């Protein structure tokens, strides 16, 4: 009887020690002006050691929050939907791998249509699902014209 209880306790402890995948991204909202460069980091932990992780970036518009728009992937060269394909092909948008489990999404010239919820997804490499596989952050924008007006207003007071 005591052996059975010890076996059950050991099994429960061993199960609790199994790592769970956790994906994290830069917290938002990230506010950028049109034309500026933005980077969003993504990191994954708790996966089987020795396996390089892939990263897939998508976004969701506020007007269609349930519709995924694929942007760029470290594993699939033709991952981007048409709305982003040209910018990905011209390297205006790209992923920079920092390590086996960390990457940066670069958008070199933010456009108004880039405002929305950005999601980093890491495909399963463990043979079983345990934990979280994606994380999201919000990118919002301010128009260049608004920034110029603010600068003009502040700058005109400085020169007086």
């Amino acid at each position: 009887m005591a052996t059975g209880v010890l076996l059950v306790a050991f099994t429960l402890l061993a199960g609790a020690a199994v790592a769970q995948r956790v994906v994290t991204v830069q917290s938002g909202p990230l506010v950028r002006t049109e034309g500026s460069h933005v980077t969003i980091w993504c990191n994954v932990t708790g996966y089987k050691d020795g396996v390089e992780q892939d990263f897939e970036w998508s976004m969701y518009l506020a007007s269609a929050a349930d519709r995924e728009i694929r942007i760029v992937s470290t594993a699939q060269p033709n991952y981007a939907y048409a709305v982003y394909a040209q910018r990905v092909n011209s390297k205006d948008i790209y992923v920079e791998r920092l390590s086996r489990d960390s990457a940066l999404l670069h958008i070199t010239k933010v456009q108004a249509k880039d405002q929305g919820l950005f999601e980093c997804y890491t495909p399963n490499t463990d043979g079983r699902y345990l934990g979280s596989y994606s994380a999201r952050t919000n990118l919002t924008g301010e128009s260049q014209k608004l920034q110029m007006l603010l600068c003009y207003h502040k700058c005109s007071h400085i020169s007086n």
Side-chain angles (χ1 to χ4, degrees):
M1 175 82 170
T3 306
V5 171
L6 286 176
L7 183 59
V8 169
F10 178 74
T11 304
L12 289 174
L13 286 173
V18 172
Q20 289 193 18
R21 176 182 291 257
V22 176
V23 175
T24 54
V25 293
Q26 196 168 334
S27 61
L30 307 172
V31 181
R32 298 296 185 271
T33 58
E34 288 182 55
S36 67
H37 185 133
V38 65
T39 57
I40 306 172
W41 59 260
C42 182
N43 187 53
V44 58
T45 59
Y47 62 91
K48 187 184 282 187
D49 286 337
V51 179
E52 184 173 73
Q53 300 299 295
D54 285 312
F55 297 87
E56 297 178 351
W57 284 93
S58 300
M59 66 102 57
Y60 300 82
L61 300 171
S63 60
D66 61 338
R67 188 175 308 148
E68 177 186 31
I69 302 170
R70 293 180 173 192
I71 302 173
V72 66
S73 167
T74 57
Q76 302 178 46
N78 296 318
Y79 181 79
Y81 284 178
V83 68
Y84 281 102
Q86 182 177 356
R87 292 172 68 196
V88 169
N89 292 337
S90 69
K91 304 294 185 210
D92 180 33
I93 298 175
Y94 63 95
V95 176
E96 175 188 4
R97 183 181 291 283
L98 301 176
S99 66
R100 305 183 109 171
D101 52 17
S102 188
L104 288 175
L105 171 67
H106 288 264
I107 303 175
T108 61
K109 293 179 184 155
V110 173
Q111 297 179 7
K113 67 180 179 181
D114 296 331
Q115 292 186 73
L117 203 56
F118 280 75
E119 178 180 61
C120 176
Y121 172 77
T122 60
N124 185 12
T125 57
D126 300 328
R128 63 182 173 151
Y129 287 91
L130 187 62
S132 68
Y133 292 81
S134 67
R136 295 178 176 186
T137 192
N138 192 25
L139 176 66
T140 61
E142 296 179 359
S143 73
Q144 196 79 355
K145 186 175 180 181
L146 176 60
Q147 289 299 311
M148 289 170 59
L149 287 172
L150 288 173
C151 180
Y152 175 76
H153 181 70
K154 289 178 183 176
C155 294
S156 64
H157 290 303
I158 293 171
S159 63
N160 291 338

